[in-house]
Amino acid sequence: MSPTPRDPARFIAALTRHQPALEAFCHTQLAQRQDAREALQATCVKLWEKSADWDPDTEFLPWAFAVARFTVLSHLRDRMRDRLVFDED
């Protein structure tokens, strides 16, 4: 079970307010709309899991962008693993 945020209402308000920016970030990093949606969803889950780490007295968006960045990189890494390349020979 994930730890509870220090101030759950404030965390949810910040996440809701900044979700369009996080969505735009994911869309700029990933070419496919479905990949961006998956990355956004994974980012929101990861943010909730790490919500106890966020200090409500600091800016939410820079912290959330850092989490989104690592989520997108993980998504790209996983997509590269799934790709099969056959040699023509």
Side-chain angles (χ1 to χ4, degrees), residues 1-13:
M1 185 166 174
S2 63
T4 304
R6 295 178 195 176
D7 186 350
R10 205 162 161 194
F11 176 82
I12 292 168

Side-chain angles (χ1 to χ4, degrees), residues 43 46-47 50 62-72:
T43 297
K46 186 60 77 174
L47 287 169
K50 295 178 163 287
W63 174 74
F65 275 149
V67 172
R69 180 175 160 256
F70 286 111
T71 302
V72 166

Side-chain angles (χ1 to χ4, degrees), residues 29-42:
Q29 301 301 310
L30 299 166
Q32 300 295 320
R33 175 177 279 157
Q34 185 61 32
D35 290 342
R37 287 180 179 162
E38 288 176 18
L40 176 63
Q41 183 176 9

Side-chain angles (χ1 to χ4, degrees), residues 13-75:
L15 179 59
T16 302
R17 181 173 58 251
H18 294 296
Q19 192 161 351
L22 291 169
E23 183 176 11
F25 176 82
C26 291
H27 279 284
T28 60
Q29 301 301 310
L30 299 166
Q32 300 295 320
R33 175 177 279 157
Q34 185 61 32
D35 290 342
R37 287 180 179 162
E38 288 176 18
L40 176 63
Q41 183 176 9
T43 297
C44 290
V45 169
K46 186 60 77 174
L47 287 169
W48 180 255
E49 291 172 351
K50 295 178 163 287
S51 61
D53 296 342
W54 176 58
D55 179 0
D57 294 327
T58 63
E59 288 292 321
F60 180 83
L61 200 53
W63 174 74
F65 275 149
V67 172
R69 180 175 160 256
F70 286 111
T71 302
V72 166
L73 289 173
S74 293
H75 182 81

